[in-house]
């Protein structure tokens, strides 16, 4: 009795904490709660903040010094013995070339664009994974219900099998066949329960709900191949490759800007003995990139090669995405045909066979194992039809969310 009450309490607790989610609610929950999307958004914020400093001047420098202090001769070691000895305080500022500062700004902006593209791609991937997890859970729930219904329907027949052996209507070996059929169906139920638990765990990962339940209708099976092909050019995976190519081009600009000279300026105030008077100095320094063939040119060539590589990778990604779309469309057509065949041909035939065997058993022309085998075949046809319907729904969601535009 305690065990029964405990199991009942667990059932009530599970029902209390269950989180019914429609397909749209699951996608919205993932968009709001997925840690991966929060991390991507914070990365964009970080790069935008750092981009504001990309073109800033370096920090100025404050210098202190002692100039012309005698270390030999009669005035050695005495501050006021030489008119050229003076304390100095100076201020200097490095001034990178405008080309370098602009190139650094361009690189920082390219980083922001790349992070934004990566975030968009991550959002697309999270949305797709959530959709597939919800569909898996939806059909796992239906499949478990179907298996339980079949077991409930066949239980009276299973229980009648020993009586058939006792009466001599069935052979003893046929009773073993019945036990094998029951074990096989129990295996199917275990598989369905495991699939349901896996799907629920995956959906929890994306939505944050502890015990999600898929409710409401499944998403539409329809796919528009023309619209999917037209949306490929703006696919987030390709936009991420475009952003990477922009980063590579920005690196080329930075390398080329290194051939432009920098300059710096400085001023200093020099304090001498009061009998001589103070002095002020000012100066400008200019870097001389005289060894471009051995320093800057190799780096420019390396960055240019990297930019070419990024562009080639983008072209390869576009071809791969196009090929994968066509392959996925072909699979969708195949799965759709298989589902219709299971729904319209295999399932009705299996039901008809079960009905005929049942009628034959009533008329005494069929054995109980024949009836059980027919019903087991009917159950298998039901589960196969569900599996094929799930494959079609998964295909449609994957195609639409992976290759379609954001509007889809």
């Amino acid at each position: 009795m305690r065990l029964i009450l405990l199991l009942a309490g667990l059932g009530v607790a599970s029902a209390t904490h269950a989180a019914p989610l429609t397909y749209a609610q699951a996608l919205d929950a993932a968009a709001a709660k997925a840690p991966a999307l929060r991390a991507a958004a914070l990365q964009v914020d970080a790069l935008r903040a750092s981009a504001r400093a990309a073109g800033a001047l370096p920090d100025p420098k404050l210098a202190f010094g002692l100039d012309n202090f005698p270390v030999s001769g009669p005035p050695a070691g005495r501050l006021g013995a030489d008119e050229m000895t003076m304390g100095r305080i100076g201020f200097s500022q490095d001034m990178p070339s405008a080309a370098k500062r602009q190139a650094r700004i361009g690189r920082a902006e390219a980083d922001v664009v790349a992070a934004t593209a990566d975030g968009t791609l991550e959002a697309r991937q999270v949305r797709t994974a959530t959709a597939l997890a919800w569909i898996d859970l939806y059909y796992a729930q239906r499949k478990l219900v179907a298996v339980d219904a079949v077991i409930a329907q066949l239980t009276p027949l299973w229980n009648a099998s020993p009586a058939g052996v006792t009466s001599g209507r069935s052979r003893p070996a046929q009773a073993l066949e019945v036990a094998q059929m029951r074990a096989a169906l129990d295996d199917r139920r275990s598989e369905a329960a495991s699939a349901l638990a896996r799907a629920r765990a995956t959906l929890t990962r994306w939505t944050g709900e502890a015990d999600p339940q898929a409710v409401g209708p499944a998403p539409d099976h329809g796919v528009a191949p023309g619209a999917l092909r037209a949306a490929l050019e703006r696919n987030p995976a390709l936009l991420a490759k475009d952003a990477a190519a922009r980063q590579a081009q920005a690196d080329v600009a930075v390398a080329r800007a290194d051939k432009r000279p920098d300059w710096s300026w400085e001023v200093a105030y020099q304090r001498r003995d009061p009998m001589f008077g103070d002095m002020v100095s000012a100066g400008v320094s200019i870097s001389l990139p005289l060894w471009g063939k051995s320093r800057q040119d190799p780096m420019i060539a390396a960055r240019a090669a990297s930019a070419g590589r990024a562009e080639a990778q983008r072209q390869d990604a576009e071809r791969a995405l196009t090929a994968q779309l066509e392959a996925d469309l072909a699979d969708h057509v195949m799965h759709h045909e298989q589902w219709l065949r299971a729904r319209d041909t295999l399932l009705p035939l299996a039901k008809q066979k079960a009905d005929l065997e049942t009628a034959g058993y009533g008329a005494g022309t069929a054995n109980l194992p024949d009836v059980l085998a027919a019903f087991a075949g009917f159950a298998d046809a039901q589960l196969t039809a569900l599996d094929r319907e799930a494959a079609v729904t998964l295909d449609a969601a994957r195609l639409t969310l992976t290759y379609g535009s954001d509007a889809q």
Side-chain angles (χ1 to χ4, degrees):
M1 180 60 70
R2 288 196 189 96
L3 179 60
I4 294 174
L5 291 176
L6 177 60
L7 293 175
L10 291 174
V12 171
S14 177
T16 302
H17 293 92
L21 288 175
T22 65
Y23 180 71
Q25 287 172 341
L27 297 184
D28 291 342
K33 300 178 182 179
L37 299 186
R38 186 165 64 254
L42 291 173
Q43 176 68 5
V44 173
D45 291 343
L47 290 173
R48 282 178 177 163
S50 62
R52 292 196 293 268
L57 292 174
D59 292 333
K61 299 174 184 177
L62 184 64
F64 300 91
L66 180 64
D67 296 336
N68 303 321
F69 181 71
V71 294
S72 64
R78 292 181 294 163
L79 284 175
D82 192 297
E83 65 178 25
M84 297 303 296
T85 300
M86 53 192 138
R88 171 176 47 84
I89 180 171
F91 183 89
S92 63
Q93 174 68 63
D94 292 329
M95 302 291 294
S97 68
K100 287 184 180 178
R101 294 171 63 189
Q102 193 60 43
R104 291 169 186 168
I105 292 173
R107 184 58 167 85
E109 291 174 346
D111 288 342
V112 174
V113 172
T116 302
D118 289 341
T120 303
L121 178 59
E122 185 70 32
R124 175 74 63 102
Q125 292 171 342
V126 167
R127 186 177 177 85
T128 302
T130 304
L132 299 184
W134 188 94
I135 294 170
D136 283 338
L137 179 59
Y138 176 82
Y139 282 100
Q141 292 173 174
R142 288 184 58 185
K143 193 172 180 179
L144 189 59
V145 170
V147 172
D148 286 339
V150 170
I151 292 175
Q153 186 178 15
L154 292 181
T155 298
L157 297 177
W158 286 331
N159 294 337
S161 179
V165 174
T166 302
S167 65
R169 191 171 181 179
S170 301
R171 301 189 312 274
Q174 291 177 326
L176 300 179
E177 294 176 3
V178 171
Q180 289 175 330
M181 294 178 193
R182 183 166 190 169
L185 197 56
D186 286 339
D187 284 344
R188 297 293 295 270
R189 191 191 187 284
S190 297
E191 292 172 0
S194 176
L196 184 132
R198 288 197 308 270
R200 181 167 291 155
T202 304
L203 191 58
T204 296
R205 174 195 173 183
W206 298 116
T207 63
E209 299 293 345
D211 186 21
Q213 308 290 328
V215 298
D220 188 19
H221 298 153
V223 170
L228 297 180
R229 293 186 181 101
L232 272 184
E233 190 64 27
R234 299 296 299 170
N235 190 276
L238 296 185
L239 294 181
K241 293 295 184 181
D242 288 336
R246 177 174 174 175
Q247 286 178 304
Q249 290 293 342
D251 286 337
V252 175
V254 171
R256 287 175 176 165
D258 281 341
K259 297 190 74 172
R260 305 292 293 273
D262 298 329
W263 64 285
S264 63
W265 56 267
E266 59 182 339
V267 294
Y269 179 80
Q270 290 134 335
R271 174 72 174 174
R272 297 197 296 175
D273 188 276
M275 65 181 296
F276 300 120
D278 297 340
M279 304 178 72
V280 173
S281 299
V284 173
S285 299
I286 301 176
S287 65
L288 300 176
L290 299 178
W291 322 117
K293 289 185 179 181
S294 60
R295 292 191 69 253
Q296 288 85 5
D297 288 350
M299 294 304 300
I300 294 173
R303 297 294 183 264
S306 296
R309 173 174 173 268
E311 182 59 32
Q313 287 177 329
R314 197 272 183 199
Q315 294 174 1
D316 179 70
E318 183 176 12
R319 291 185 182 184
L321 197 65
T322 302
Q324 189 61 51
L325 171 59
E326 297 303 326
D328 289 345
L329 286 172
D331 284 344
H332 179 59
V333 171
M334 175 190 67
H335 291 154
H336 193 266
E337 291 174 349
Q338 289 176 335
W339 170 53
L340 293 180
R341 196 174 296 117
R343 186 192 66 180
D344 300 337
T345 303
L346 299 180
L347 187 58
L349 288 176
K351 185 178 186 305
Q352 185 179 3
K353 182 177 180 180
D355 293 340
L356 290 174
E357 292 290 359
T358 302
Y361 182 73
T365 59
N367 295 322
L368 181 59
D370 297 329
V371 178
L372 286 170
F375 272 96
F378 179 50
D380 188 68
Q382 287 179 301
L383 298 178
T384 299
L386 268 178
D387 285 338
R388 293 184 179 183
E389 181 183 347
V392 173
T393 307
L394 287 168
D395 284 344
R398 186 183 296 107
L399 283 164
T400 301
L401 295 176
T402 301
Y403 304 103
S405 65
D406 290 335
Q408 293 174 301

